[in-house]
Amino acid sequence: VQLVESGGGLVQPGGSLRLSCAASGFTFSSSHMSWYRQAPGKGRDLVAFISNGAGGLTNYVESVKGRFTISRDNAKNTVYLQMDSLKPEDTAVYYCNKWPDVWGQGTQVTVSS
C-alpha cells in the first residue's frame, strides 16, 4: 500500500497549486481519501475529504471552503487537491490519507511573497 504526493512548491499569495496523490496496492475506488496538513509546530489537521465511489461526496475544513477543491480519478488511482487564492496561513506540509491510517510522505506548500 503506497501513497505518493506531488505538486507542492513555493507560490505567492493569491496563487494556485494542484497537489496529486498517486495510490497503489489497494482498491482505490473503494477507499475514502483525504488531505491533511501540518504547519510548523502544529498538529496534523484534516483539510478535505472525498468519499469512495464515482460520485464522491466531499467535505472541507471551514478555512479552505470556496478556495480548495478535492477530486478523484478512479481510473488513474489518483486524488487531487486544487488550491486557489492561497494565503500565507496555508503554508504547511500536505499529506494524502487513505482512511483511516495510511499516509503519504507529504509535500511542502509554502505561500510567501
Side-chain angles (χ1 to χ4, degrees):
V1 177
Q2 189 174 23
L3 299 172
V4 179
E5 301 99 333
S6 61
L10 173 64
V11 63
Q12 293 186 341
S16 298
L17 283 174
R18 188 176 82 153
L19 306 183
S20 299
C21 172
S24 60
F26 62 96
T27 306
F28 179 77
S29 60
S30 299
S31 301
H32 300 313
M33 301 297 297
S34 298
W35 286 96
Y36 284 71
R37 67 186 178 187
Q38 186 166 17
K42 297 188 177 181
R44 192 174 296 188
D45 297 321
L46 178 66
V47 175
F49 166 89
I50 186 165
S51 66
N52 58 10
L57 300 176
T58 60
N59 198 12
Y60 301 89
V61 66
E62 191 65 33
S63 61
V64 308
K65 284 182 179 178
R67 300 189 298 122
F68 290 13
T69 304
I70 189 171
S71 62
R72 65 191 299 156
D73 186 334
N74 290 333
K76 295 183 178 180
N77 287 357
T78 301
V79 60
Y80 303 98
L81 186 67
Q82 177 67 41
M83 305 186 294
D84 298 318
S85 302
L86 282 160
K87 304 176 180 180
E89 51 264 43
D90 295 317
T91 295
V93 178
Y94 284 70
Y95 296 91
C96 181
N97 168 265
K98 170 190 175 299
W99 189 87
D101 58 0
V102 178
W103 298 92
Q105 83 287 352
T107 186
Q108 176 71 48
V109 172
T110 302
V111 185
S112 174
S113 55

